[in-house]
Amino acid sequence: MGILQPLEGNMAVAEAMRQINPDVVAAYPITPSTEIVQTFATFVADGKVDTNYVAVESEHSAMSACTAAAAAGGRVMNATSANGLALMWEILYITASLRLPVMLTVVNRALSGNINIHCDHSDTMGARDAGWIQLYAENVQESYDNLIQAVAIGERMDVRLPVMSCLDGFLVSHSYELLEVEDDDAVREWVGPYKPNRPLLDIENPYTVGPLDLYDFYMEHKRSQWEAYPTAMQAVIEEGKRFGDAFGRHYGLMETVELDDADIAIVALGSAAGTAKDVVEQLRDQGVKAGLLKLRCFRPFPGEQIAAALAGRKAVCVMDRAASFGAGTGPLYHEIAAAMYGAGHAVPIQNIIYGLGGRMLRPEEIETVFRDLVQIAESGKVTETCKWLGVRE
Amino acid sequence: MKHYPPDAKWHEMADAGIIPQAGNAREYDVSGWRSEHPVRDAECCIQCLFCWVYCPDSSVIIKDEKVVAFDPVHCKGCGICAQVCPKQCITMEPGGEMPQE
Ligand code: SF4
Ligand code: SF4
């Protein structure tokens, strides 16, 4: 049985890491994720885990060490944010290409400049093509639950991919919440022991990892990596169900609120979805048929499932907590608009960019988004595809 | 499978771009990369082995602790051996052809 504990997002993540007891953590601290590795380092010092904790000199080294340790045959975890993730960039692609299930908690923070330590999704959105699975948490409970599931998803022998478990900087990482922390043994049993796939330290069976790979074979290797993502999406669904069966909290690719009969709907990631839930309920009380699609799994991108869920709405708004500069819209909008077009659904879609660098998203603002959607549903037209919300104009 | 044939399909290969054997670089013929090749004047050579130490491709062949030849399959013609030779006994000659020894 789990017990209810008041914990901050970062502490809940550190707690999940303690329960998972990885072989190696190689980390370099960065706000707002510092507390995760700091708390975990005390677990190591107090002998509560068997982890080999490597204090490295940069995030580039951190991810290099993590990737190497995973190739050697260890279960490996790490945490970072924003500029730290950016410094890992080169290695992120290699970890995924080598099919190594490294678990990285990303506490989402604005990627400079100017320098800012608060939440937006510019860090992980930029890393969306690196080949990592990405799960986004709405609150502290989900941050804890997602990391435990991430291990099971990424380590599945038919998946073998690294996972970013994302939570909103400060909004979730530094917010206290009463969450259910499961029993240590139950978590360990649910996750299971680590089974390395061809560990490099198996000196009886040497092989070559990460060799020069040119025009004659590289494309076949990328094609083979491509094949892992539909399987990974299936694993997200199956492990979400298995987790729910064990602990009572079921997860899937997305969560919907009042969506089935909604005329107008918002799509959001992370903590904004929590605020939007309240607004949806208020509007429902007023007779407005509002709904919400909270996307949990952004990579692999469940385009078909999203399109099916949004089909039949009269107007949709995709909320982006990141700007894709030069694209004219945010990254989540691109993918959802493409998925809707591909599925043949001609639903008008508004794009909103909000919350950059920790700018507060208030319920009244979400309500104005829904009010605008009522207009769009009536006219069938989006006058301005991308609007900025909460900016002084 | 020891070697993937050049027409191997993506699903016929090990995942993650690994090569299922270790140390098989020696099976890779890079002689075609050479536009120049090293020629050593054996009379001039004092057998200091600098060229052997510095060759990035382990292509200076040693027998009984003495330089005897260059490896025609793996020498890339980079010219480092010629640069480091303290007696300047190695000349880079034009062309990739090297005597097979
Ligand atoms: S030319 Fe370069 S590769 Fe060839 S033997 Fe000399 S140092 Fe080695
Ligand atoms: S560096 Fe020059 S002198 Fe020394 S072993 Fe090589 S060829 Fe001979």
Side-chain angles (χ1 to χ4, degrees), chain A residues 354-385:
Chain A
Y354 75 99
L356 302 188
R359 177 60 53 90
M360 194 62 78
L361 174 70
R362 292 175 294 120
E364 307 86 81
E365 290 171 329
I366 298 181
E367 201 179 325
T368 65
V369 172
F370 275 117
R371 300 281 173 213
D372 288 350
L373 281 180
V374 172
Q375 302 284 318
I376 294 169
E378 273 167 19
S379 68
K381 281 196 185 67
V382 179
T383 44
E384 198 183 336
T385 306

Side-chain angles (χ1 to χ4, degrees), chain B residues 38 55-57 59-60 70 74-81 92:
Chain B
C55 171
D57 291 294
S59 293
V60 177
F70 299 105
H74 301 108
C75 167
K76 296 194 183 77
C78 66
I80 288 172
C81 52
M92 297 305 290

